Amino acid sequence: MPIILNEHHSSGFSLNWTVDKVLYQQKSDFQQVAIVELQEMGRALVLDNIIQVTVKDEFVYNEMITHVPLFTHPAPEKVLIIGGGDGGAAREAAKHESVKQVDMCEIDEKVIEACREYLPETSVSYDHPKVNVITKDGVQFIKDNPNTYDVIIIDSSDPIGPAVELFGKDFYHNVYNALKEDGIFVCQSESLFLHQNLIKKVYDTISKLYPITKVYTATTPTYPGFLWGYTMGSKKYDPYDRMDAEKQDLQTKYYNHDIFKACFALPNFIKEVLESNK
Ligand code: SPD
């Protein structure tokens, strides 16, 4: 009998994945951490029964959460990733010539342990000379480092369990303070189809803090609802002013300059959600 990973969401949406092998399974202080071999999508990091990354499609999410804010900033040097323990976003950030330091602050050392052993595709970044792996609570780390970063990436799991605080107003306020005066923030903000209330709440909160707020999208097959949202707040730089700026050519599988231009185009049903006064 094959093992079935049933990923059930509060929206009532479920995804079933056939698991060929369980490679790692441990209960940490924060969550159930597992690495499994999925029949269709290859190795995957699974937290509390929810897929975080798979080797087959992680590049879409990791490239989009990283390169869009980093190419909106003209010369980012210091980058902070909150969460992102698989290392994929850090791998992408380290590719930028201007970036000198990538701090990756992951709360759960078991995530680091599991990914180091079983997900070399993403955890390769742990040993990159630009990358510092910090195992601390990101909520406190942000408070302790005001006015420090050019770009802050919130690479969180869903807003349940250890990630709940990473979607709160106080946290967003502290992120704003941890950025330099021309800094840029981005967070993953869930499915455009299934989590519209959350997208709206995040957008409204970020718009009150930052003069420039944008939502952008990419399709990620292993995330429920597939069309995934990212919300960016910028103190100074507008991605629309950076569309034709000369940018470093990176080795990527999904991201390119045309994607940068296109990803801010939103379908009407999401524009309506963002513009509504509810
Ligand atoms: N439903 C799962 C969404 C997960 C988004 N973040 C993944 C973080 C991996 N670094």
Side-chain angles (χ1 to χ4, degrees), residues 7 13 28 49 107 109 152 165 184 211 244 249:
E7 185 178 311
F13 193 90
S28 75
N49 227 35
I107 196 169
E109 59 189 4
I152 297 179
E165 273 192 84
I184 297 175
D244 298 316
D249 265 324

Side-chain angles (χ1 to χ4, degrees), residues 31 45 47 52-53 61-62 65 79-91 102-109 111-112 115 125-126 131-139 141-142 152-158 162-163 166-167 171 175 186 188:
Q31 56 209 341
L45 168 67
L47 300 178
Q52 302 301 315
V53 290
Y61 174 86
N62 284 318
I65 202 166
V79 178
L80 172 64
I81 298 159
I82 297 289
D86 54 85
R91 178 196 66 203
V102 181
D103 293 341
M104 186 191 92
C105 183
E106 163 62 50
I107 196 169
D108 195 337
E109 59 189 4
V111 169
I112 307 283
C115 294
S125 64
Y126 299 170
V131 175
N132 301 311
V133 177
I134 300 159
T135 39
K136 282 191 180 159
D137 176 6
V139 172
F141 188 83
I142 281 279
I152 297 179
I153 296 169
I154 313 301
D155 180 9
S156 72
S157 45
D158 297 329
L166 304 183
F167 289 83
F171 176 69
V175 169
V186 72
Q188 72 88 358

Side-chain angles (χ1 to χ4, degrees), residues 199-271:
I199 291 206
K200 171 71 173 154
K201 199 176 115 199
V202 171
Y203 182 78
D204 285 350
T205 310
I206 300 308
S207 315
K208 286 191 184 107
L209 289 167
Y210 296 83
I212 300 151
T213 305
K214 304 277 181 220
V215 171
Y216 62 92
T217 69
T219 300
T220 311
T222 46
Y223 294 165
F226 314 124
L227 184 59
W228 211 246
Y230 304 81
T231 305
M232 187 166 89
S234 175
K235 291 187 177 180
K236 181 171 177 187
Y237 307 112
D238 188 324
Y240 284 105
D241 297 335
R242 302 274 305 142
M243 294 287 168
D244 298 316
E246 200 173 317
K247 300 185 187 76
Q248 182 194 344
D249 265 324
L250 298 176
Q251 275 224 315
T252 47
K253 286 205 240 178
Y254 184 87
Y255 179 90
N256 57 42
H257 300 324
D258 291 333
I259 295 275
F260 181 83
K261 290 181 185 176
C263 69
F264 296 99
L266 294 177
N268 286 348
F269 76 94
I270 285 298
K271 284 188 182 180

Side-chain angles (χ1 to χ4, degrees), residues 15-33:
L15 290 165
N16 285 333
W17 300 96
T18 303
V19 174
D20 281 342
K21 206 169 180 185
V22 178
L23 298 158
Y24 178 102
Q25 202 169 18
Q26 295 255 337
K27 177 101 182 85
S28 75
D29 289 344
F30 307 98
Q31 56 209 341
Q32 189 75 35
V33 180

